Amino acid sequence: SDLAKERLTYNAIQSIVDTVTARVGETKPRPFYLTSAGDYRQQRKAKKLNQYIEGVFYDQKTYDVGLQAFRDAAIWGDGFIHVFGRGGKVVHERVMPGELWVDEIEGQYGFPRRMHRLKVVDREELCTYFPEARAQIEKASRALEVTSSVQANISDMVTVVESWNLASPNADGEMVGGKHAITLISQSYMLVEPEDYPYDHFPFAHVPWCPRPVGFWSQGLAEQLQGQQLELNKTLWLIQRSMHLAGSFKILLQNGSKVVKEALNNEVGAVITYTGAPPQYISPEPINPEYLSHAQKILERMYMMAGVSELAAKSSKPAGLNSGKAIREFEDVESERFRTIQRQNDNLYLDIADLTKEVAKELAKEGRMVPMRVPNSRNFSVIDFKKDIGMFDDDAFVRQCFPVSRLPKDPAG
């Protein structure tokens, strides 16, 4: 049937995406804030700020969340991490690309002015965040899940929309016009009334795979390989059916010949008596070898398009590369293909650090900041953002990124 032809028998895209994610995602870019000819006080603030960012990254498992976002980018084209404050702490939350909505016309140059995040949240959890709106939340309709042509209620989840309208600088350089709100959709109820949003960017760190010439959304690696995967599916389906129909030996038995079929068994040294033509055993070739070669060529083409070697996917090395230096050189040459996406991955963590700094300043200003524990080599220290860092001018610092990669994996290295 047509359905059987579309069945995935070898998911090459998943193998390639996992390989690229392991290849690029193993690096852990570390954001640093530096001062420009700053005095001791500024340098100390920069040092404390770096420690605070490191503590938040450790607390939120940011490198694990960032790895998920990078994999989302490879699959769907874009990966997002939402940075916001909750309970006096900075939260780094992975966002499914399908949760974000922008106007296609407004975002045709890649910079929309408005964005909405549509998310389903557990009803009781939402009540803990907005206790004053419990009555409205308890009345809200359950979120719906669409399966085929059927809509079904899912658990006890409700749909919430968080919206942003970016601010713009006025003649005096002040950021004005920005708004932020949170809405309970089914009740048309504002959980957070429209409030000022003083930023010209959304609270999302974004890693694109391959930005399109037009539009906000990027092209993913899975989409780039989609045509080849479909061709591979069709070829493997043909090979599978051919092996099923002609994959075993056959016995040619002439009409009229007197052969006891029970004698055609797997006994060693069995005696087969016959009158007329003897039975003939044949092993037909299930399929032309060209199809097997074609499937292998498709796989090679997919790995080539992604810039991944089959050796990397199999975690093996070329024959003859035995020294550590030679292997690292081979890996460096192979990693040249990923320089662009590696830069996007570095920028992701720089954006997370910047957004973390903004949220921390807001929490400290409101007096809702919880001290952050920062792990050291032997113990941990505690950073109180309001006391140790306090308010500062963003222009006093410049940011840099130092990725830690391709280093020896052992503790001594």
Side-chain angles (χ1 to χ4, degrees):
S1 66
D2 291 337
L3 214 49
K5 291 180 183 180
E6 295 173 0
R7 186 180 303 145
L8 199 62
T9 55
Y10 181 79
N11 195 341
I13 290 179
Q14 180 183 357
S15 173
I16 293 172
V17 167
D18 288 345
T19 302
V20 173
T21 302
R23 186 76 173 159
V24 177
E26 70 176 347
T27 62
K28 294 184 177 180
R30 188 175 180 185
F32 275 92
Y33 287 94
L34 307 174
T35 61
S36 177
D39 56 20
Y40 170 77
R41 186 177 180 182
Q42 287 180 322
Q43 292 176 8
R44 185 178 181 276
K45 279 192 175 186
K47 181 179 179 180
K48 292 291 185 180
L49 180 59
N50 291 330
Q51 291 177 341
Y52 179 80
I53 296 294
E54 183 180 355
V56 175
F57 274 41
Y58 176 80
D59 178 70
Q60 293 296 310
K61 297 180 174 60
T62 303
Y63 289 114
D64 293 335
V65 179
L67 195 63
Q68 291 179 324
F70 180 84
R71 192 167 186 268
D72 290 343
I75 297 173
W76 289 298
D78 299 276
F80 295 91
I81 294 178
H82 189 181
V83 182
F84 59 96
R86 176 188 292 164
K89 297 174 65 175
V90 181
V91 178
H92 297 165
E93 182 179 72
R94 173 202 178 201
V95 179
M96 300 290 287
E99 294 178 0
L100 298 181
W101 295 79
V102 299
D103 185 275
E104 294 294 333
I105 303 299
E106 186 180 69
Q108 62 180 323
Y109 293 107
F111 303 100
R113 300 288 303 172
R114 299 166 187 82
M115 180 177 286
H116 309 272
R117 183 186 180 188
L118 190 149
K119 185 182 179 182
V120 290
V121 184
D122 181 79
R123 190 188 305 272
E124 191 58 36
E125 180 185 5
L126 191 62
C127 287
T128 62
Y129 299 150
F130 303 98
E132 70 283 355
R134 175 177 283 274
Q136 294 292 337
I137 295 173
E138 289 179 345
K139 292 182 201 175
S141 303
R142 288 185 179 182
L144 293 177
E145 179 184 48
V146 180
T147 55
S148 300
S149 58
V150 181
Q151 287 187 337
N153 289 326
I154 54 174
S155 188
D156 192 20
M157 314 283 277
V158 294
T159 305
V160 178
V161 174
E162 190 168 5
S163 306
W164 296 267
N165 180 73
L166 298 184
S168 302
N170 61 13
D172 298 326
E174 299 175 346
M175 302 301 294
V176 297
K179 292 295 179 181
H180 166 252
I182 302 178
T183 310
L184 188 62
I185 285 294
S186 65
Q187 297 297 105
S188 298
Y189 179 80
M190 288 284 190
L191 296 173
V192 174
E193 293 288 342
E195 58 184 3
D196 289 339
Y197 182 75
Y199 302 109
D200 60 354
H201 54 267
F202 299 109
F204 298 99
H206 175 209
V207 53
W209 181 266
C210 181
R212 300 178 192 271
V214 178
F216 176 74
W217 304 105
S218 305
Q219 183 183 46
L221 179 59
E223 183 181 344
Q224 293 173 340
L225 300 176
Q226 176 180 307
Q228 298 297 321
Q229 180 71 66
L230 292 175
E231 180 65 21
L232 179 63
N233 293 351
K234 184 174 70 174
T235 303
L236 292 180
W237 176 83
L238 178 61
I239 294 173
Q240 181 186 32
R241 291 292 298 162
S242 300
M243 295 292 290
H244 177 72
L245 293 173
S248 62
F249 70 90
K250 309 295 180 184
I251 302 175
L252 301 181
L253 196 61
Q254 187 179 36
N255 287 332
S257 61
K258 296 181 179 179
V259 176
V260 180
K261 293 184 179 179
E262 285 74 12
L264 305 176
N265 52 45
N266 63 347
E267 291 185 9
V268 178
V271 177
I272 301 175
T273 59
Y274 69 93
T275 300
Q280 180 183 355
Y281 288 78
I282 64 169
S283 296
E285 191 173 274
I287 193 169
N288 192 313
E290 186 63 29
Y291 284 98
L292 301 175
S293 176
H294 181 56
Q296 182 60 34
K297 288 178 181 177
I298 294 175
L299 275 173
E300 292 174 357
R301 194 156 56 240
M302 292 178 73
Y303 283 109
M304 181 186 68
M305 290 174 62
V308 177
S309 69
E310 291 187 74
L311 294 173
K314 297 174 183 176
S315 296
S316 58
K317 65 179 181 63
L321 261 64
N322 300 317
S323 70
K325 182 177 180 180
I327 293 174
R328 285 194 296 272
E329 189 67 25
F330 171 75
E331 291 179 346
D332 287 341
V333 171
E334 188 180 49
S335 64
E336 289 292 329
R337 175 66 169 78
F338 303 120
R339 282 296 174 88
T340 301
I341 190 62
Q342 179 66 66
R343 191 178 302 113
Q344 300 282 16
N345 189 54
D346 292 347
N347 290 337
L348 171 70
Y349 292 96
L350 287 174
D351 291 344
I352 294 174
D354 280 349
L355 293 170
T356 298
K357 174 168 60 69
E358 290 176 356
V359 174
K361 287 176 66 176
E362 291 179 0
L363 293 175
K365 186 177 180 180
E366 296 170 2
R368 297 189 291 118
M369 174 65 70
V370 173
M372 181 58 59
R373 297 194 304 175
V374 182
N376 298 319
S377 57
R378 296 183 180 179
N379 49 27
F380 67 87
S381 57
V382 178
I383 301 293
D384 187 322
F385 191 93
K386 188 173 183 178
K387 177 181 177 182
D388 297 328
I389 303 173
M391 296 297 104
F392 55 86
D393 186 0
D394 290 336
D395 294 335
F397 302 108
V398 293
R399 62 179 190 172
Q400 289 188 0
C401 189
F402 298 93
V404 181
S405 66
R406 295 292 173 264
L407 296 179
K409 305 298 189 293
D410 57 282

